Amino acid sequence: MEKRRLGRTGHESTLAIFGAAALWEASPQQAEAALELARSYGVNHIDVAPSYGQAESLIGPWLSRHRSEVFLGCKTMERSEEAAWKELHASLERLRTDRFDLYQLHAIRTMDELDEATRKGGALPAILRARAEGLVRYIGITGHGYQAPAVHAAAIERLDFDTVLTPLNFIQWAEPGFRIAFERLLDLAQQRDVGVMLIKTVTRGPWGERPQTHTTWYQPFDQPEEISRCVRFALSQPVTAFATPGDLSLLPLALEAAERFRPMTAEEQAQLVESASAYQPLFPPG
């Protein structure tokens, strides 16, 4: 699988990042099989969070045997210094490791949330302390929502974040306001050598009244050719990688799409974006 440099971290990340949200309701056997499948494709990057059910505890035994092989990213949704410090240490214990390669402020969707997490006494000072003590190497920011690219652009303008994990898919890109904000985020990231990782890459839209057939909180594309187009579009932007979707049944399809990735031409991208009018964006304006 192709690898790309994750900004100033220097890590050569595989195009697919193992998205541990897929382990939310997994058994130990399912978790082991999923991690080994990702490993068989050469995946060298894991994204996990304490908010992903039992994912950290499920990954811990596997990680204790393969820690040197992966770049480990974790997150906190805590907003105070004390709570974030405690959560970081709890994650280290569950994951059976003594360090994170990347630790991120998680679910920063608005400027108010950014201000809360980065204030004196907020979560960011705890992460900075952890970095000073050798528990964390790099610091990032993540978040969902329509405002995510604008908020994340403001974050890397104001503070020295090493990475951004943010949502993008061709349907969302078709919304003009979102696209303008995202293009600005990409420009800033390139200027400041900030690594950009993507989530929600294979999103079809909200579930609405449709029966929920996957464990993702959004409706995903689930056919191989659809997933391939989604991945090709996303990775044809100046980004490093995408996190695989939060459903174990989609993991093989996402890994295969990353393995076979080839860039989309500008014409192919334009045609795909034009087709987005048939779908509802997960994050509408407003």
Side-chain angles (χ1 to χ4, degrees):
M1 186 182 297
E2 181 184 332
K3 297 176 182 177
R4 294 180 182 175
R5 179 175 171 273
L6 184 61
R8 68 180 71 147
T9 72
H11 174 63
E12 292 291 329
S13 176
T14 44
L15 294 181
I17 297 168
F18 181 81
L23 301 181
W24 194 297
E25 299 176 349
S27 67
Q29 295 76 19
Q30 289 173 319
E32 177 79 13
L35 288 160
E36 282 300 314
L37 177 63
R39 184 169 177 253
S40 74
Y41 276 85
V43 171
N44 65 0
H45 190 152
I46 292 176
D47 174 76
V48 68
S51 56
Y52 293 165
Q54 299 299 308
E56 290 181 327
S57 296
L58 289 170
I59 290 172
W62 182 91
L63 189 66
S64 66
R65 305 192 305 272
H66 301 288
R67 182 66 184 90
S68 63
E69 301 174 21
V70 298
F71 184 91
L72 180 62
C74 195
K75 313 165 185 171
T76 182
M77 289 181 66
E78 297 293 349
R79 298 295 182 248
S80 74
E81 184 171 2
E82 181 179 359
W85 183 254
K86 288 180 179 178
E87 184 164 69
L88 184 151
H89 281 271
S91 290
L92 288 171
E93 183 175 352
R94 286 190 291 265
L95 286 160
R96 303 189 187 183
T97 185
D98 61 357
R99 70 198 184 284
F100 293 117
D101 298 295
L102 175 66
Y103 201 74
Q104 300 150 105
L105 293 176
H106 189 29
I108 303 293
R109 297 160 293 188
T110 67
M111 291 303 298
D112 286 344
E113 289 174 334
L114 178 62
D115 290 342
E116 181 183 13
T118 59
R119 76 189 194 283
K120 183 178 181 181
L124 182 59
I127 303 173
L128 292 171
R129 176 184 167 192
R131 184 174 66 179
E133 294 187 11
L135 302 175
V136 169
R137 294 179 65 197
Y138 303 106
I139 299 175
I141 186 168
T142 86
H144 302 99
Y146 187 83
Q147 297 182 57
V151 172
H152 296 161
I156 64 176
E157 280 186 307
R158 289 165 45 175
L159 299 157
D160 198 27
F161 287 105
D162 300 302
T163 67
V164 170
L165 179 66
T166 198
L168 182 67
N169 54 71
F170 76 91
I171 300 168
Q172 204 67 55
W173 184 264
E175 204 292 310
F178 186 93
R179 178 173 180 169
I180 290 170
F182 207 99
E183 287 177 329
R184 181 170 181 272
L185 172 62
L186 291 175
D187 287 343
L188 281 169
Q190 287 184 303
Q191 292 170 22
R192 297 170 187 241
D193 202 17
V194 172
V196 178
M197 302 167 287
L198 301 181
I199 49 176
K200 306 299 177 283
T201 298
V202 302
T203 299
R204 184 187 184 101
W207 284 110
E209 298 301 316
R210 290 178 289 273
Q212 189 166 337
T213 56
H214 294 81
T215 56
T216 46
W217 60 268
Y218 55 89
Q219 183 184 17
F221 287 105
D222 58 6
Q223 296 303 305
E225 64 276 11
E226 295 173 334
I227 290 176
S228 178
R229 284 195 296 269
C230 289
V231 169
R232 287 186 64 207
F233 174 81
L235 294 177
S236 293
Q237 315 313 316
V239 302
T240 296
F242 76 101
T244 56
D247 185 297
L248 285 178
S249 71
L250 301 177
L251 178 62
L253 300 178
L255 293 173
E256 191 64 21
E259 177 77 15
R260 297 188 177 189
F261 168 74
R262 67 186 193 281
M264 271 189 170
T265 65
E267 182 179 359
E268 287 176 317
Q269 292 183 54
Q271 290 175 348
L272 186 60
V273 171
E274 187 175 350
S275 74
S277 59
Y279 306 98
Q280 181 182 354
L282 183 61
F283 307 123

